[in-house]
Amino acid sequence: RGYLFMEYVEGQNLSNLDLEIHQDIPSRVTRILAHLGQIKGPAPIPGPIGGGEPLGYLFGDDGAKTVFTSIEDMNTYMNKRLQYRNDSIDLTSYPLVLCHGDICRRNLILERDGSLCLVDWGYSGLYPRFFELATLSCVFPYDAAFEKPVTGEFEKLLSLTDQEKQDMKLTLCVRGANLRWSL
């Protein structure tokens, strides 16, 4: 069992924030995501910074149950789950960027000075840039007022290639396999 310690951030959690009054929040969140997507890791190793087992929505309820030492390891992991669809994925051409992995209103704090702070980095790591967008669809289904503007703006901002869109769909299929089977 692990623990994540964070600095306490004073302010209002966005889970109860009226987005009709604070209409700028979705675009501000999108800009944060875009900034994170510019941060590349020191080594081409997917997963949590500093190593360890990937956790989060794309890896199912119990995490990946493995540590990736290379992008090829991650390909193997994902392709094992895609074999049920007679599909495969190759992520070697994508740079690995910082993804938070749990963007939702409860993980955003609006400080008194108007600063927007992103907390709870427990699912973060280095992944292809479309992983963050894929994760949004897993986190947001119960918050349409936040989901639609953030996802829409982020999709436009990323301008994913057709291959990235296809690989994002396959990544969500991997998630489905992780939730259904113990592989």
Side-chain angles (χ1 to χ4, degrees):
R1 188 165 276 197
Y3 298 93
L4 177 65
F5 293 94
M6 298 180 292
E7 175 183 344
Y8 178 75
V9 178
E10 180 98 27
Q12 181 180 3
N13 181 291
L14 294 194
S15 60
N16 298 318
L17 192 72
D18 185 349
L19 293 177
E20 291 295 321
I21 295 171
H22 298 276
Q23 294 179 0
D24 65 323
I25 294 294
S27 62
R28 291 177 65 192
V29 170
T30 302
R31 288 194 306 273
I32 291 170
L33 296 177
H35 176 72
L36 293 178
Q38 301 300 312
I39 301 171
K40 295 181 180 171
I45 299 173
I49 295 174
E53 176 187 350
L55 301 171
Y57 299 97
L58 299 179
F59 299 103
D61 295 337
D62 299 321
K65 296 183 183 177
T66 189
V67 174
F68 304 135
T69 59
S70 66
I71 196 73
E72 290 80 10
D73 280 355
M74 192 159 123
N75 279 341
T76 300
Y77 170 90
M78 295 182 78
N79 286 326
K80 181 177 180 181
R81 283 139 183 86
L82 291 170
Q83 70 185 359
Y84 297 101
R85 291 178 42 96
N86 293 318
D87 252 324
S88 66
I89 193 168
D90 181 7
L91 302 173
T92 55
S93 65
Y94 300 115
L96 301 177
V97 299
L98 183 59
C99 294
H100 182 271
D102 195 9
I103 300 294
C104 56
R105 290 208 269 177
R106 74 176 180 275
N107 289 336
L108 291 154
I109 307 290
L110 183 62
E111 292 185 301
R112 286 187 189 149
D113 69 358
S115 298
L116 193 57
C117 299
L118 184 54
V119 299
D120 191 357
W121 291 80
Y123 292 168
S124 67
L126 298 169
Y127 302 103
R129 68 186 186 136
F130 58 82
F131 270 48
E132 192 80 78
L133 185 57
T135 300
L136 292 177
S137 69
C138 304
V139 177
F140 281 155
Y142 309 108
D143 190 1
F146 193 58
E147 172 193 9
K148 289 181 181 183
V150 171
T151 302
E153 284 189 44
F154 195 42
E155 283 177 355
K156 285 182 205 170
L157 189 66
L158 286 178
S159 298
L160 295 178
T161 66
D162 289 340
Q163 186 62 53
E164 285 176 310
K165 290 176 186 176
Q166 176 62 28
D167 288 342
M168 184 172 75
K169 287 178 185 175
L170 290 174
T171 299
L172 289 170
C173 291
V174 168
R175 176 185 190 263
N178 282 333
L179 294 174
R180 184 166 184 183
W181 295 293
S182 179
L183 300 170

